[in-house]
Amino acid sequence: MFELTDEERELAAMVRDFAEAVVAPQSYEADRTHTLSMDVVAQMGDLGLFGLPFPEEYGGQGGDYMALGIAIEALGRVDQSIAITLEAGVSLGAMPVFRFGSEEQKREYLPGLLAGRALAGFGLTEPEAGSDAGATRTTARLEGDEWVIDGSKQFITNSGTPITRFVTVTAVTGNEGGRKQISTIIVPNGTPGFTVEAPYDKVGWNASDTHPLSFAGARVPVGNLLGQQGSGFRNFLSILDEGRIAIAALSTGAAEGCLEAAVDYAKSRTIFGSALSTRQNAQFTLARMRARVHTARLAWHHAARRRDVGRPFAEQAAIAKLVAGEAAMDNARDATQIFGGNGFMNEFPVARHYRDSKILEIGEGTTEVQLLVIARALGLAG
Ligand SMILES: Cc1cc2nc3c(=O)[nH]c(=O)nc-3n(C[C@H](O)[C@H](O)[C@H](O)COP(=O)(O)OP(=O)(O)OC[C@H]3O[C@@H](n4cnc5c(N)ncnc54)[C@H](O)[C@@H]3O)c2cc1C
């Protein structure tokens, strides 16, 4: 169970080669200029990465979540912005359509998304609704044969790239027994009344596309409802469970990238006449970093395998996200320490990992939200 199959090994090697040859050379400049390379996205599309966990009939590769995680981990090792573009493109962009869309919606949207020729965002978070996603204030009311949407979303990944086709938003569509009825609706970019605001000035993931969104009387056809009316809350929770596995894979890649860079640096850096790697404090730091990578990888593999064979995986996904996110942040901090002053210079990828990794403890459910999920699995009701 914990070893990769031959096919999975080949995929890992293929994406690792691509990451080294195509992604890594552009990462420094993309981060510095806050630019997502659409050429890299197109090449990932050509490799079939956006279609990995989807059936061939929609243009997918017929793989599973394990395959997706393997690709994301290999990309996350060198460039978290590129890795999150794939992660969000698949788990937040295409997956909701595949899981909850009508046959017509699947045929309409999936071929472009799975080929990497189009991207989609998932708009859940609002200024007043993050961890407490049920506090959604954005509304969608039916007027004739149209939904009229008002409200705002924040921090939405892949929402404003040149190839973004739509954003799936959660919105309150009514009241059920005193509780908000939440539904998910596809809002195409370019819809009058839907504005993709200016991108954020972020601490990290600078080459990833993230915007606030606003909706002022944005009208879309009634047929843009994704899934059943009122099923939005349940749907996005299951989307987030899966997404946590993918973020854990990304985090593992980041932790691995930091480890490899730190080992190489410690071997090559001479300190007081001998290699830094001969000092026990450096060895212990590197050994601990290795143990974190190993633990994080086992955790996301376990969650992905459970998901792929149809077993419950929410708790395992939360554990993987928790452990791997912390591994990435801890390894980034330790790697920059091993690098000394160079670790504070952006030209060294560990410096970028240091800035990039913090969000791994926040996005798609904060560390505290993962702890809540795990505590609930222990029968500890809040
Ligand atoms: C770069 C980036 C990309 C993102 N991409 C997307 C996207 O594509 N789509 C999308 O919908 N969202 C996206 N997000 C939003 C992200 O998922 C949220 O920021 C995250 O879920 C936390 O929500 P919040 O920011 O509102 O923080 P809050 O929920 O306000 O949390 C603040 C603090 O309170 C803690 N906390 C919250 N609830 C509890 C509790 N019950 N018990 C104890 N502690 C608690 C949190 O852990 C945190 O430490 C993105 C965010 C960033 C920064």
Side-chain angles (χ1 to χ4, degrees), residues 227-296:
Q228 299 293 313
Q229 187 172 340
S231 64
F233 197 73
R234 198 173 53 246
N235 290 354
F236 75 66
L237 285 182
S238 71
I239 287 295
L240 291 182
D241 280 342
E242 284 184 346
R244 282 169 191 160
I245 302 175
I247 295 287
L250 196 168
S251 306
T252 304
E256 169 77 35
C258 289
L259 170 66
E260 289 178 26
V263 167
D264 289 347
Y265 192 85
K267 283 182 182 165
S268 66
R269 176 69 172 166
T270 300
I271 299 284
F272 296 102
S274 57
L276 174 58
S277 59
T278 61
R279 311 256 161 186
Q280 198 177 54
N281 75 318
Q283 292 173 359
F284 281 9
T285 297
L286 295 166
R288 212 175 268 290
M289 290 170 72
R290 170 72 187 109
R292 290 187 196 119
V293 170
H294 186 72
T295 312

Side-chain angles (χ1 to χ4, degrees), residues 207-228:
S208 159
D209 179 83
T210 327
H211 300 262
L213 311 176
S214 62
F215 303 88
R219 290 172 176 271
V220 299
V222 66
N224 280 28
L225 183 73
L226 188 66
Q228 299 293 313

